[in-house]
Amino acid sequence: MGLRTDFIWMDGTLTPWDQANVHVLTHGLHYGYAVFEGIRAYECVDGSSAVFRLKEHVDRLFGSAKILGLTIPFTPGQVTDACVETLVANKMRAGYIRPLVYVGSGSMGVNPADNPIRVAIAVWPWGAYLGAEALEKGISIRTSSYTRFHVNSMMSKAKSAGNYVNSVLAKTEALADGYDEAMMLDASGYVAEGSGENIYIVKNGVIKTPPLTTVLAGITRDSVIALAKEMGYEVVEQFFTRDEVYVADEAFFTGTAAELTPIRALDRRVIGEGHAGPVAKALQKAFFKVVKGENPKYAGWLHRYSL
């Protein structure tokens, strides 16, 4: 995956890649006091380009900042325009967008004091996060030995950088043990999510996903739930256990990076037929029609732009 592009937007200015640097004593680097978003732009079937649910992502970025007590020195409209400006400057018809709000350098210590709040936006090409074959064949995952946060130990509704140490531990453990991804349990032992994805199971035609009690409100999650209900599926937001995943007919992840990725096995137990099932395939098809601009009903989810 080649990350290098021509420009990164930093504090209102398009900055050449090699000059987009921060000081080693940047507060956010030491304490993880930062919030970010992961957003995708897609090339549509008519040759145009569109960012998927850009408004909702920017709104969540500002919500995450509010939860952490960070005041972003730009308006939501300015950040929205900057995301598109960065795509256009890098001549990207499709790709991944990473806005980052972080506490800059100044005083050190846990208290960020009056350090400046900095904003950066990077874009880069990114295909299927878990591999192109994963969208069809599914992935193998393990139950992580690391627990997702209790709701009052970390702010689970903020997409904050520090929260992702928990995810990194879970992901690297899973990869080291030969799996593709981790499934994390909450503090009560119920299934929470993947290291960076929302999770679902299907049993007897009913789709079940954990409620938002301890997990981030995924924008792809919201989109897939809306599509599933429109297609006539019953969707239940309810706690479930790891052994319910073992005996499910299907299981899958969703997320901006993961899109909709089936799960073929958990803890070496094959789930269903061991590949993408009919519900996952139907939802994948519906989701990709939306992001590619083929479903006019959801045209409002697409922020169009041109190079």
Side-chain angles (χ1 to χ4, degrees):
M1 181 173 63
L3 291 182
R4 188 182 180 93
T5 53
D6 293 330
F7 299 101
I8 293 177
W9 190 93
M10 294 192 74
D11 300 317
T13 302
L14 285 168
T15 305
W17 177 277
D18 290 328
Q19 297 174 30
N21 302 313
V22 297
H23 195 276
V24 71
L25 292 184
T26 295
H27 189 278
L29 175 63
H30 290 256
Y31 299 103
Y33 210 53
V35 296
F36 68 96
E37 276 297 314
I39 313 171
R40 273 194 191 260
Y42 290 89
E43 189 168 3
C44 299
V45 291
D46 63 1
S48 67
S49 295
V51 184
F52 183 61
R53 302 196 71 171
L54 179 55
K55 180 185 185 302
E56 289 84 351
H57 279 287
V58 171
D59 286 347
R60 190 171 67 179
L61 180 72
F62 276 76
S64 295
K66 184 176 183 179
I67 290 170
L68 265 62
L70 302 175
T71 300
I72 299 177
F74 297 94
T75 66
Q78 288 173 318
V79 173
T80 298
D81 291 344
C83 288
V84 175
E85 181 185 4
T86 310
L87 285 166
V88 172
N90 287 290
K91 300 179 176 60
M92 294 191 63
R93 296 185 180 278
Y96 189 81
I97 312 164
R98 169 55 55 83
L100 174 70
V101 179
Y102 60 100
V103 179
S105 56
S107 63
M108 288 298 287
V110 173
N111 178 18
D114 294 324
N115 291 22
I117 307 303
R118 308 283 306 276
V119 182
I121 301 171
V123 300
W124 60 82
W126 207 354
Y129 173 57
L130 295 165
E133 287 189 350
L135 295 176
E136 170 61 30
K137 296 182 178 179
I139 59 174
S140 175
I141 69 174
R142 64 156 288 175
T143 303
S144 179
S145 68
Y146 297 98
T147 302
R148 218 36 155 178
F149 334 102
H150 182 275
V151 292
N152 209 36
S153 61
M154 296 291 278
M155 299 293 96
S156 60
K157 298 303 173 288
K159 194 173 177 69
S160 65
N163 285 5
Y164 278 75
V165 173
N166 185 240
S167 295
V168 171
L169 290 169
K171 177 79 173 186
T172 55
E173 175 188 59
L175 293 175
D177 288 346
Y179 297 88
D180 301 304
E181 184 54 284
M183 182 184 79
M184 306 191 71
L185 308 181
D186 66 20
S188 298
Y190 291 101
V191 174
E193 56 188 344
S195 69
E197 309 91 357
N198 292 114
I199 190 170
Y200 312 73
I201 58 173
V202 181
K203 188 70 175 179
N204 299 324
V206 176
I207 302 170
K208 188 184 290 189
T209 192
L212 295 176
T213 309
T214 60
V215 302
L216 188 71
I219 292 167
T220 307
R221 175 188 186 274
D222 177 75
S223 307
V224 167
I225 289 174
L227 291 171
K229 289 180 177 179
E230 182 187 40
M231 294 164 68
Y233 292 108
E234 180 181 355
V235 182
V236 179
E237 296 182 60
Q238 186 180 92
F239 292 110
F240 54 88
T241 58
R242 61 192 287 188
D243 47 3
E244 288 183 74
V245 186
Y246 294 154
V247 298
D249 299 325
E250 299 181 46
F252 56 90
F253 281 135
T254 67
T256 295
E259 297 170 309
L260 195 155
T261 300
I263 300 166
R264 70 172 183 270
L266 167 64
D267 300 335
R268 296 192 173 87
R269 278 87 162 174
V270 173
I271 297 171
E273 297 299 319
H275 53 73
V279 175
K281 286 182 176 180
L283 289 173
Q284 273 182 343
K285 183 177 180 180
F287 176 76
F288 284 115
K289 285 187 70 173
V290 169
V291 301
K292 297 287 188 179
E294 296 180 85
N295 187 336
K297 180 177 180 179
Y298 295 98
W301 283 358
L302 302 179
H303 188 106
R304 300 276 185 165
Y305 68 95
S306 56
L307 300 183

